[in-house]
Amino acid sequence: MQRDEILHWLKETDEARLEELWARADAVRKERVGDEVHLRGLIEIGNYCVRQCAYCGINACSQGITRYRMATEEILACAREAHRLGYGSVVMQAGEDPGFKAETIAAIVREIKTTTPLAVTLSLGEREDDELRLWKEAGADRYLLRFETSDPALYDHIHPSLPGTLSDRMAQLERMRDMGYEIGTGVMVGIPGQTWDILAQDIDTFRDYDMDMIGIGPFLPSPRTPLGGPDAASHMAPEGLQVPNDELTTLKAVALTRLVCPQSNIPSTTALATLDPKAGRELGLSRGANVVMPNVTPPEYRVLYEIYPGKACVHETAQVCHGCMEARIRSIGRVMGKGPGGRKAS
Ligand code: 5AD
Ligand code: FES
């Protein structure tokens, strides 16, 4: 599928034609990655952050947030809980926080890898190569780092660099692949300044870089941030060019991503479930996705990990989310994934 065809589908509004897109995406999903839905237990290990990403509610400048950093033993307890619930992997996610020392993370990874069969995914932002290498040697399997946009100007606008460094997530993803990580990335749909052309290029980029995992969710404005505050309108692309942050467009992006990256692991995201609590998860899974990331963070911490308001599941326990996910997966005739659920070989 060429770029202009991706673009055309993104703008498609005819329901009958869209049925064709959904059917194609679901057929490719079934044929290439099967009916199993892989479950990743998400552990939000801390919300300190040194970055100022313009969309993110826990960025360094965000006021009125209680910051936390989970202790090693608490994180390990979450991992054991994920294993007990039958999940094949855990994702340790935090803001970009040098307060999490590389050696602390490495020790946690080592402990999980030696005491459980879990695959371990890290999502800790932009970190030094020697840290990333240390974690790989400790046994980490995968790393998630969404590039958020393939447009250089928009990228710079929403990701102010730290003094003395240049933010380059694409380059980090490539280096991590060379280190042996499975690499995951993704974008938000409808971020202010995102045009249709840019979103089509984002999807093309997933294919060009042969990403192993691709997370796509709607942009949900956080009033604590520049892109969600009173000035939000000033960041928008001109009328007609700006991509809306709605469910339909997100589902088109998921479906198209499945078509161009048939073997990738694609989650039905929490942001989509937040936008449509009733059916968002199921719609994502029915239109290309094959992964879900149930939260296993203790409830007292998950309320503090507020990257956007109203996040799904903030008041639930790991046990409740497990039951909820299982019911949703079964309701659409799919099966719970077994094992770590790594990327299928081509
Ligand atoms: N709306 C939707 N998704 C967001 N993320 C961060 N802030 C928001 C927001 N306001 C996503 C980013 C990040 C992931 C962990 O959460 O894409 O990579
Ligand atoms: Fe958490 Fe449904 S997945 S309540």
Side-chain angles (χ1 to χ4, degrees):
M1 187 181 287
Q2 299 302 311
R3 172 92 54 94
D4 52 355
E5 206 183 331
I6 297 175
L7 184 61
H8 189 84
W9 275 118
L10 284 173
K11 294 184 179 176
E12 181 64 63
T13 53
D14 183 87
E15 283 186 25
R17 299 262 357 243
L18 283 171
E19 286 304 325
E20 191 191 315
L21 176 63
W22 310 142
R24 273 172 69 186
D26 200 42
V28 170
R29 185 274 308 155
K30 189 177 176 70
E31 185 190 322
R32 304 297 286 272
V33 293
D35 280 339
E36 275 189 315
V37 176
H38 297 290
L39 293 104
R40 327 296 199 195
L42 176 64
I43 318 175
E44 295 156 336
I45 66 174
N47 68 353
Y48 283 91
C49 191
V50 296
R51 305 302 292 255
Q52 295 177 32
C53 302
Y55 46 82
C56 180
I58 61 168
N59 79 41
C61 299
S62 249
Q63 298 296 313
I65 297 184
T66 305
R67 302 282 176 171
Y68 72 95
R69 197 178 281 129
M70 283 170 66
T72 294
E73 197 37 57
E74 292 178 301
I75 297 169
L76 292 173
C78 292
R80 285 191 288 268
E81 172 79 349
H83 177 45
R84 192 185 67 77
L85 292 169
Y87 303 163
S89 64
V90 284
V91 179
M92 289 163 51
Q93 187 174 84
E96 198 167 303
D97 176 17
F100 269 120
K101 294 293 169 217
E103 189 42 59
T104 307
I105 299 291
I108 296 168
V109 173
R110 232 176 266 125
E111 179 66 18
I112 297 174
K113 293 300 290 185
T114 49
T115 58
T116 76
L118 292 165
V120 173
T121 303
L122 300 176
S123 180
L124 303 172
E126 296 174 52
R127 302 282 305 222
E128 299 290 335
D129 283 0
D130 51 358
E131 302 179 306
L132 298 166
R133 240 178 257 116
L134 179 74
W135 299 337
K136 189 79 200 61
E137 282 157 16
D141 301 280
R142 310 176 186 150
Y143 203 100
L144 299 179
L145 183 67
R146 291 192 184 173
F147 61 74
E148 311 293 5
T149 179
S150 57
D151 182 75
L154 182 57
Y155 183 92
D156 290 346
H157 180 62
I158 63 179
H159 298 119
S161 287
L162 286 176
T165 66
L166 192 68
S167 172
D168 189 346
R169 295 185 178 187
M170 240 24 204
Q172 180 176 328
L173 283 161
E174 291 270 87
R175 293 197 301 275
M176 292 191 295
R177 188 202 305 274
D178 291 343
M179 291 176 199
Y181 283 98
E182 272 189 40
I183 53 170
T185 194
V187 299
M188 285 168 281
V189 170
I191 186 115
Q194 181 187 61
T195 62
W196 296 101
D197 284 314
I198 292 176
L199 182 56
Q201 177 177 281
D202 294 342
I203 294 171
D204 224 1
T205 304
F206 300 148
R207 166 171 52 193
D208 286 349
Y209 282 76
D210 189 25
M211 295 295 179
D212 301 305
M213 303 169 280
I214 304 158
I216 299 171
F219 164 69
L220 300 169
S222 165
R224 301 178 199 280
T225 65
L227 294 185
D231 277 355
S234 68
H235 298 273
M236 294 285 186
E239 183 70 24
L241 300 183
Q242 172 66 47
V243 173
N245 58 336
D246 62 13
E247 181 172 37
L248 181 62
T249 314
T250 304
L251 290 167
K252 288 181 205 168
V254 169
L256 290 163
T257 299
R258 170 59 66 202
L259 295 181
V260 302
C261 301
Q263 316 260 77
S264 298
N265 281 319
I266 301 178
S268 183
T269 55
T270 304
L272 184 59
T274 300
L275 197 60
D276 178 3
K278 270 180 92 166
R281 294 269 188 211
E282 292 87 331
L283 283 169
L285 290 172
S286 306
R287 297 174 177 184
N290 70 321
V291 167
V292 288
M293 297 168 65
N295 204 317
V296 294
T297 312
E300 68 266 33
Y301 295 125
R302 54 171 98 177
V303 293
L304 304 176
Y305 199 79
E306 202 193 281
I307 50 187
Y308 48 76
K311 207 169 86 183
C313 309
V314 276
H315 299 299
E316 307 302 345
T317 60
Q319 186 75 45
V320 167
C321 288
H322 175 260
C324 172
M325 289 291 194
E326 179 157 20
R328 289 176 190 272
I329 290 166
R330 292 195 191 289
S331 78
I332 53 169
R334 302 274 279 279
V335 295
M336 306 280 273
K338 296 219 165 49
R343 171 166 178 173
K344 290 215 167 31
S346 305

